Amino acid sequence: MRVCIAFSLLCIALTSCNQQETQRVITTMDLEKLSPFVAEVDRIYVNDYADSDLVTKRVVLIGLNIADREKITLGDSGTNVDLLLAFAHMITNGTSYRFPDVWLDYKRAVENGPKATNEVPHQ
């Protein structure tokens, strides 16, 4: 419960209060279900609470700007947080990407990893 409250408060603090903008906070699982869209990375927020007594030790939030003043904050605080953290280091602030494709491609590449072979290299 404390994790959900802390995560929600952090999301609220990082999002804009401008009434002309629509703001949604979604998880990576929610992102994967969305139709493709292009968004610019607006901000990347990573905080490590390793010394705290919170169950969640890391919070990762990625702010995305979509057309028509819509904003999405992508965040996770559970099992996907390490993957989202690595993804946050791969993308660049101010750059536009096609979502959820860029996330799914990254996730697939990490899950598949480098292919191991039993072949002996020719000398």
Side-chain angles (χ1 to χ4, degrees), residues 76-109:
D76 255 319
S77 61
T79 56
N80 285 334
V81 74
D82 290 333
L83 186 59
L84 187 59
L85 175 63
F87 178 71
H89 289 295
M90 193 243 357
I91 59 176
T92 305
N93 234 358
T95 302
S96 293
Y97 298 94
R98 185 173 175 85
F99 289 89
D101 301 353
V102 68
W103 164 253
L104 292 170
D105 290 346
Y106 180 78
K107 183 178 172 184
R108 231 181 332 270

Short mmCIF file of all heavy atoms in Angstrom, two decimals, residues 76-109:
data_model
loop_
_atom_site.label_atom_id
_atom_site.label_comp_id
_atom_site.label_asym_id
_atom_site.label_seq_id
_atom_site.Cartn_x
_atom_site.Cartn_y
_atom_site.Cartn_z
N ASP A 76 6.82 2.25 -13.90
CA ASP A 76 6.67 0.94 -13.29
C ASP A 76 7.42 0.92 -11.98
O ASP A 76 8.42 1.62 -11.82
CB ASP A 76 7.20 -0.17 -14.19
CG ASP A 76 6.09 -0.97 -14.85
OD1 ASP A 76 5.10 -1.26 -14.16
OD2 ASP A 76 6.22 -1.29 -16.03
N SER A 77 6.93 0.15 -11.06
CA SER A 77 7.60 0.05 -9.78
C SER A 77 7.65 -1.39 -9.30
O SER A 77 7.88 -1.64 -8.15
CB SER A 77 6.89 0.92 -8.74
OG SER A 77 5.56 0.49 -8.57
N GLY A 78 7.40 -2.31 -10.19
CA GLY A 78 7.38 -3.71 -9.81
C GLY A 78 8.46 -4.50 -10.51
O GLY A 78 9.60 -4.06 -10.62
N THR A 79 8.07 -5.63 -11.06
CA THR A 79 9.03 -6.53 -11.68
C THR A 79 9.63 -5.95 -12.96
O THR A 79 10.74 -6.32 -13.34
CB THR A 79 8.38 -7.88 -12.01
OG1 THR A 79 7.23 -7.65 -12.84
CG2 THR A 79 7.95 -8.61 -10.75
N ASN A 80 8.93 -5.03 -13.62
CA ASN A 80 9.44 -4.46 -14.87
C ASN A 80 10.34 -3.25 -14.66
O ASN A 80 10.82 -2.67 -15.62
CB ASN A 80 8.27 -4.05 -15.78
CG ASN A 80 7.62 -5.24 -16.44
OD1 ASN A 80 8.23 -6.28 -16.63
ND2 ASN A 80 6.36 -5.09 -16.76
N VAL A 81 10.55 -2.84 -13.42
CA VAL A 81 11.28 -1.60 -13.18
C VAL A 81 12.73 -1.67 -13.69
O VAL A 81 13.24 -0.70 -14.23
CB VAL A 81 11.21 -1.15 -11.70
CG1 VAL A 81 12.08 -2.01 -10.81
CG2 VAL A 81 11.56 0.31 -11.56
N ASP A 82 13.38 -2.81 -13.55
CA ASP A 82 14.77 -2.92 -14.03
C ASP A 82 14.84 -2.83 -15.55
O ASP A 82 15.73 -2.19 -16.10
CB ASP A 82 15.41 -4.21 -13.55
CG ASP A 82 15.68 -4.20 -12.05
OD1 ASP A 82 15.86 -3.10 -11.49
OD2 ASP A 82 15.70 -5.29 -11.45
N LEU A 83 13.87 -3.45 -16.23
CA LEU A 83 13.82 -3.37 -17.68
C LEU A 83 13.51 -1.94 -18.13
O LEU A 83 14.12 -1.43 -19.06
CB LEU A 83 12.77 -4.34 -18.22
CG LEU A 83 12.67 -4.49 -19.73
CD1 LEU A 83 14.00 -4.95 -20.33
CD2 LEU A 83 11.57 -5.46 -20.10
N LEU A 84 12.58 -1.28 -17.44
CA LEU A 84 12.24 0.11 -17.77
C LEU A 84 13.42 1.03 -17.50
O LEU A 84 13.66 1.98 -18.25
CB LEU A 84 11.00 0.56 -17.00
CG LEU A 84 10.45 1.93 -17.38
CD1 LEU A 84 10.06 1.99 -18.85
CD2 LEU A 84 9.27 2.29 -16.51
N LEU A 85 14.18 0.75 -16.45
CA LEU A 85 15.38 1.55 -16.14
C LEU A 85 16.40 1.44 -17.28
O LEU A 85 16.93 2.45 -17.74
CB LEU A 85 16.00 1.08 -14.83
CG LEU A 85 17.32 1.73 -14.44
CD1 LEU A 85 17.14 3.23 -14.21
CD2 LEU A 85 17.89 1.07 -13.20
N ALA A 86 16.64 0.23 -17.75
CA ALA A 86 17.57 0.04 -18.86
C ALA A 86 17.04 0.73 -20.12
O ALA A 86 17.80 1.36 -20.86
CB ALA A 86 17.79 -1.44 -19.11
N PHE A 87 15.74 0.66 -20.36
CA PHE A 87 15.11 1.32 -21.50
C PHE A 87 15.28 2.84 -21.39
O PHE A 87 15.57 3.51 -22.38
CB PHE A 87 13.63 0.94 -21.56
CG PHE A 87 12.86 1.60 -22.67
CD1 PHE A 87 13.07 1.23 -23.99
CD2 PHE A 87 11.92 2.58 -22.40
CE1 PHE A 87 12.36 1.83 -25.02
CE2 PHE A 87 11.21 3.18 -23.41
CZ PHE A 87 11.42 2.80 -24.73
N ALA A 88 15.13 3.37 -20.18
CA ALA A 88 15.27 4.81 -19.96
C ALA A 88 16.68 5.28 -20.31
O ALA A 88 16.87 6.41 -20.77
CB ALA A 88 14.94 5.16 -18.51
N HIS A 89 17.67 4.43 -20.11
CA HIS A 89 19.05 4.78 -20.47
C HIS A 89 19.30 4.68 -21.97
O HIS A 89 20.24 5.26 -22.48
CB HIS A 89 20.04 3.89 -19.71
CG HIS A 89 20.12 4.21 -18.26
ND1 HIS A 89 20.58 5.41 -17.77
CD2 HIS A 89 19.76 3.49 -17.17
CE1 HIS A 89 20.52 5.41 -16.45
NE2 HIS A 89 20.02 4.26 -16.06
N MET A 90 18.44 3.93 -22.67
CA MET A 90 18.60 3.75 -24.11
C MET A 90 17.97 4.91 -24.91
O MET A 90 18.50 5.30 -25.93
CB MET A 90 17.96 2.43 -24.54
CG MET A 90 18.34 1.99 -25.93
SD MET A 90 17.07 1.83 -27.22
CE MET A 90 15.49 2.14 -26.62
N ILE A 91 16.87 5.44 -24.43
CA ILE A 91 16.19 6.51 -25.17
C ILE A 91 16.79 7.87 -24.80
O ILE A 91 17.52 7.99 -23.82
CB ILE A 91 14.67 6.49 -24.92
CG1 ILE A 91 14.35 6.65 -23.43
CG2 ILE A 91 14.05 5.21 -25.47
CD1 ILE A 91 12.88 6.74 -23.13
N THR A 92 16.45 8.88 -25.61
CA THR A 92 17.05 10.20 -25.43
C THR A 92 15.97 11.24 -25.23
O THR A 92 14.98 11.28 -25.98
CB THR A 92 17.88 10.57 -26.67
OG1 THR A 92 18.83 9.53 -26.91
CG2 THR A 92 18.60 11.89 -26.48
N ASN A 93 16.16 12.09 -24.24
CA ASN A 93 15.25 13.22 -24.00
C ASN A 93 15.18 14.08 -25.25
O ASN A 93 16.20 14.36 -25.88
CB ASN A 93 15.79 14.05 -22.83
CG ASN A 93 14.78 14.25 -21.74
OD1 ASN A 93 13.64 13.81 -21.85
ND2 ASN A 93 15.19 14.91 -20.69
N GLY A 94 13.98 14.51 -25.63
CA GLY A 94 13.81 15.39 -26.78
C GLY A 94 13.71 14.66 -28.11
O GLY A 94 13.51 15.29 -29.15
N THR A 95 13.81 13.35 -28.10
CA THR A 95 13.72 12.56 -29.33
C THR A 95 12.35 11.92 -29.43
O THR A 95 11.78 11.49 -28.43
CB THR A 95 14.82 11.47 -29.34
OG1 THR A 95 16.09 12.09 -29.21
CG2 THR A 95 14.78 10.65 -30.61
N SER A 96 11.82 11.84 -30.64
CA SER A 96 10.52 11.20 -30.87
C SER A 96 10.72 9.74 -31.25
O SER A 96 11.65 9.40 -31.99
CB SER A 96 9.76 11.92 -31.98
OG SER A 96 9.40 13.21 -31.56
N TYR A 97 9.84 8.90 -30.74
CA TYR A 97 9.87 7.46 -31.01
C TYR A 97 8.45 6.99 -31.31
O TYR A 97 7.48 7.63 -30.90
CB TYR A 97 10.38 6.68 -29.78
CG TYR A 97 11.78 7.02 -29.37
CD1 TYR A 97 12.03 7.99 -28.40
CD2 TYR A 97 12.87 6.38 -29.95
CE1 TYR A 97 13.32 8.31 -28.01
CE2 TYR A 97 14.16 6.69 -29.56
CZ TYR A 97 14.38 7.66 -28.60
OH TYR A 97 15.66 7.96 -28.22
N ARG A 98 8.34 5.86 -31.95
CA ARG A 98 7.04 5.23 -32.21
C ARG A 98 6.80 4.22 -31.09
O ARG A 98 7.53 3.24 -30.96
CB ARG A 98 7.04 4.56 -33.58
CG ARG A 98 5.71 3.99 -33.98
CD ARG A 98 5.77 3.49 -35.41
NE ARG A 98 4.55 2.85 -35.80
CZ ARG A 98 3.47 3.49 -36.26
NH1 ARG A 98 3.50 4.80 -36.38
NH2 ARG A 98 2.39 2.83 -36.59
N PHE A 99 5.79 4.51 -30.29
CA PHE A 99 5.40 3.63 -29.18
C PHE A 99 4.16 2.85 -29.58
O PHE A 99 3.37 3.34 -30.35
CB PHE A 99 5.11 4.47 -27.93
CG PHE A 99 6.34 5.07 -27.31
CD1 PHE A 99 6.80 6.32 -27.71
CD2 PHE A 99 7.03 4.40 -26.33
CE1 PHE A 99 7.93 6.88 -27.15
CE2 PHE A 99 8.17 4.95 -25.76
CZ PHE A 99 8.61 6.20 -26.17
N PRO A 100 3.92 1.69 -29.10
CA PRO A 100 4.75 0.91 -28.19
C PRO A 100 5.88 0.15 -28.89
O PRO A 100 6.61 -0.60 -28.25
CB PRO A 100 3.77 -0.05 -27.55
CG PRO A 100 2.74 -0.29 -28.59
CD PRO A 100 2.63 1.00 -29.35
N ASP A 101 6.03 0.36 -30.21
CA ASP A 101 7.01 -0.42 -30.98
C ASP A 101 8.41 -0.36 -30.39
O ASP A 101 9.08 -1.39 -30.26
CB ASP A 101 7.04 0.06 -32.44
CG ASP A 101 5.69 -0.07 -33.13
OD1 ASP A 101 4.77 -0.66 -32.53
OD2 ASP A 101 5.56 0.43 -34.26
N VAL A 102 8.88 0.84 -30.06
CA VAL A 102 10.25 0.97 -29.55
C VAL A 102 10.42 0.20 -28.24
O VAL A 102 11.44 -0.42 -28.00
CB VAL A 102 10.66 2.46 -29.42
CG1 VAL A 102 9.87 3.16 -28.34
CG2 VAL A 102 12.16 2.58 -29.18
N TRP A 103 9.40 0.23 -27.39
CA TRP A 103 9.43 -0.51 -26.13
C TRP A 103 9.43 -2.02 -26.39
O TRP A 103 10.22 -2.77 -25.82
CB TRP A 103 8.27 -0.11 -25.23
CG TRP A 103 8.02 -1.09 -24.11
CD1 TRP A 103 7.00 -1.97 -24.01
CD2 TRP A 103 8.84 -1.31 -22.96
NE1 TRP A 103 7.12 -2.72 -22.86
CE2 TRP A 103 8.24 -2.33 -22.19
CE3 TRP A 103 10.03 -0.74 -22.49
CZ2 TRP A 103 8.77 -2.80 -21.01
CZ3 TRP A 103 10.56 -1.21 -21.28
CH2 TRP A 103 9.94 -2.22 -20.56
N LEU A 104 8.53 -2.47 -27.26
CA LEU A 104 8.41 -3.90 -27.55
C LEU A 104 9.67 -4.45 -28.21
O LEU A 104 10.12 -5.55 -27.88
CB LEU A 104 7.18 -4.17 -28.41
CG LEU A 104 5.84 -3.94 -27.71
CD1 LEU A 104 4.70 -3.99 -28.72
CD2 LEU A 104 5.62 -4.91 -26.58
N ASP A 105 10.24 -3.68 -29.13
CA ASP A 105 11.49 -4.10 -29.78
C ASP A 105 12.62 -4.23 -28.76
O ASP A 105 13.39 -5.18 -28.77
CB ASP A 105 11.90 -3.12 -30.88
CG ASP A 105 10.97 -3.18 -32.08
OD1 ASP A 105 10.17 -4.14 -32.19
OD2 ASP A 105 11.03 -2.24 -32.90
N TYR A 106 12.70 -3.24 -27.86
CA TYR A 106 13.74 -3.27 -26.83
C TYR A 106 13.53 -4.47 -25.89
O TYR A 106 14.47 -5.21 -25.60
CB TYR A 106 13.73 -1.96 -26.03
CG TYR A 106 14.78 -1.96 -24.95
CD1 TYR A 106 16.12 -1.72 -25.27
CD2 TYR A 106 14.46 -2.24 -23.63
CE1 TYR A 106 17.10 -1.76 -24.30
CE2 TYR A 106 15.44 -2.28 -22.65
CZ TYR A 106 16.75 -2.03 -22.99
OH TYR A 106 17.73 -2.07 -22.03
N LYS A 107 12.30 -4.66 -25.46
CA LYS A 107 11.98 -5.76 -24.54
C LYS A 107 12.31 -7.12 -25.18
O LYS A 107 12.90 -7.98 -24.55
CB LYS A 107 10.50 -5.68 -24.17
CG LYS A 107 10.04 -6.71 -23.18
CD LYS A 107 8.58 -6.50 -22.85
CE LYS A 107 8.05 -7.64 -22.01
NZ LYS A 107 6.62 -7.52 -21.76
N ARG A 108 11.93 -7.27 -26.46
CA ARG A 108 12.21 -8.51 -27.18
C ARG A 108 13.72 -8.76 -27.30
O ARG A 108 14.19 -9.87 -27.11
CB ARG A 108 11.59 -8.44 -28.58
CG ARG A 108 10.73 -9.61 -28.94
CD ARG A 108 10.13 -9.56 -30.32
NE ARG A 108 9.88 -8.26 -30.91
CZ ARG A 108 8.74 -7.57 -30.79
NH1 ARG A 108 7.74 -8.06 -30.07
NH2 ARG A 108 8.58 -6.42 -31.39
N ALA A 109 14.47 -7.71 -27.59
CA ALA A 109 15.93 -7.84 -27.74
C ALA A 109 16.56 -8.26 -26.42
O ALA A 109 17.46 -9.10 -26.39
CB ALA A 109 16.52 -6.52 -28.22
#
